[in-house]
Structures are given as structure tokens and as C-alpha cells.
Amino acid sequence: LYMESLVHTLVLHTIVHASSLSPLHRSPPVGAGLTPAQAQRVREFIAANHQREIGLAELAAVLNFSPDYFLRQFKRCFGTTPHQFLIQVRLEQAKRLLEQGMLAVGEVAAAGGFYDQSHLAHHFKRAYGVAPKAFLKKEYA
């Protein structure tokens, strides 16, 4: 998802900046992103499928959009890329599981959709400023 988003962003950036049209002749941005109903559908889809890899084309298909159009509208609506949004959803799930205290960090990583414990630790520390094990000790010591 990250690589697909990056490729689409680079292609769009190249097209916009290499265009021979002046800024006045370019099409204005369409709307302010997704409608509330569309945003809710995407949120629900990501929440239901956060444990597996989700491709940009698959997300776009939820709303019957092209990947390029979906990516632009998603970023306008949520202020982030689909990949970063997916990571945030996974982190929230991992944090909830850690707070429950029933699973080891490796099990939380697997249940949260991360590749392994190291992958979870990297993102968790970046988002919350503390490693998952330290978070567990702080909460349940």
C-alpha cells in the first residue's frame, strides 16, 4: 500500500509540474475529499481488514474510484495517506490489546496486523514515545 501510494503520488507530482498548462488552465481540485458516508465506508473497511495487507486498488474499489482519484480524495479527507492511516488503526488496536494485558507483545503484533514484534515496536515507539514492553510495564507493573 505504501509503495503504491508513493508511485501514484510521484506520477501525479510529475504530471502536474511538467505540464505545459499554466496554473490558471489546470483543473481545480474537486471537492474537499470524501463525503462523510464515503469516509465511513473506508474507515469500516480498513477496521475490518487491518490485520492483512490492503492494496490501494482494493481500497479504491470500495468506493468505485480509480486509485489515483481515491488517493487524492483520501488525503484531502483524512490528511494522511492510506498507508499511514492503516498504521494508525493497527497501532490503536495494538494499544487496546496491550492495555487488556492478556497477550504477549509478539501476539499483539500478530493480532494487530504487524509483520512481527520488531515492526510493532518501531511504529509504537514512534507514535507513543515508548516501546510496547515499556508501555506494558508502566500500565501493569
Side-chain angles (χ1 to χ4, degrees), residues 49-53 83-98 105-128 132:
N49 296 285
H50 75 276
Q51 293 175 314
R52 64 180 185 83
E53 286 302 313
H83 177 72
Q84 288 300 316
F85 188 86
L86 176 61
I87 294 294
Q88 290 170 1
V89 169
R90 288 176 175 173
L91 285 169
E92 289 167 10
Q93 175 67 13
K95 188 176 179 184
R96 278 192 296 273
L97 291 172
L98 287 169
V105 177
E107 294 170 320
V108 169
F114 292 95
Y115 295 115
D116 55 24
Q117 186 173 338
S118 174
H119 188 224
L120 167 63
H122 169 77
H123 287 290
F124 199 91
K125 188 167 186 176
R126 199 163 75 181
Y128 300 117

Side-chain angles (χ1 to χ4, degrees), residues 11-112:
V11 168
L12 289 173
H13 179 78
T14 302
I15 290 171
V16 167
H17 292 327
S19 174
S20 61
L21 295 174
S22 70
L24 295 175
H25 294 100
R26 291 189 188 141
S27 301
V30 179
L34 306 173
T35 66
Q38 290 171 330
Q40 184 61 30
R41 283 176 52 201
V42 171
R43 263 193 220 99
E44 289 172 357
F45 182 84
I46 290 173
N49 296 285
H50 75 276
Q51 293 175 314
R52 64 180 185 83
E53 286 302 313
I54 304 171
L56 184 61
E58 184 179 5
L59 277 174
V62 169
L63 301 178
N64 295 322
F65 287 173
S66 73
D68 291 334
Y69 183 73
F70 174 79
L71 181 59
R72 287 192 311 271
Q73 299 309 313
F74 187 96
K75 286 171 90 174
R76 283 189 185 123
C77 180
F78 293 104
T80 188
T81 65
H83 177 72
Q84 288 300 316
F85 188 86
L86 176 61
I87 294 294
Q88 290 170 1
V89 169
R90 288 176 175 173
L91 285 169
E92 289 167 10
Q93 175 67 13
K95 188 176 179 184
R96 278 192 296 273
L97 291 172
L98 287 169
E99 288 171 340
Q100 291 173 1
M102 298 179 153
L103 299 174
V105 177
E107 294 170 320
V108 169

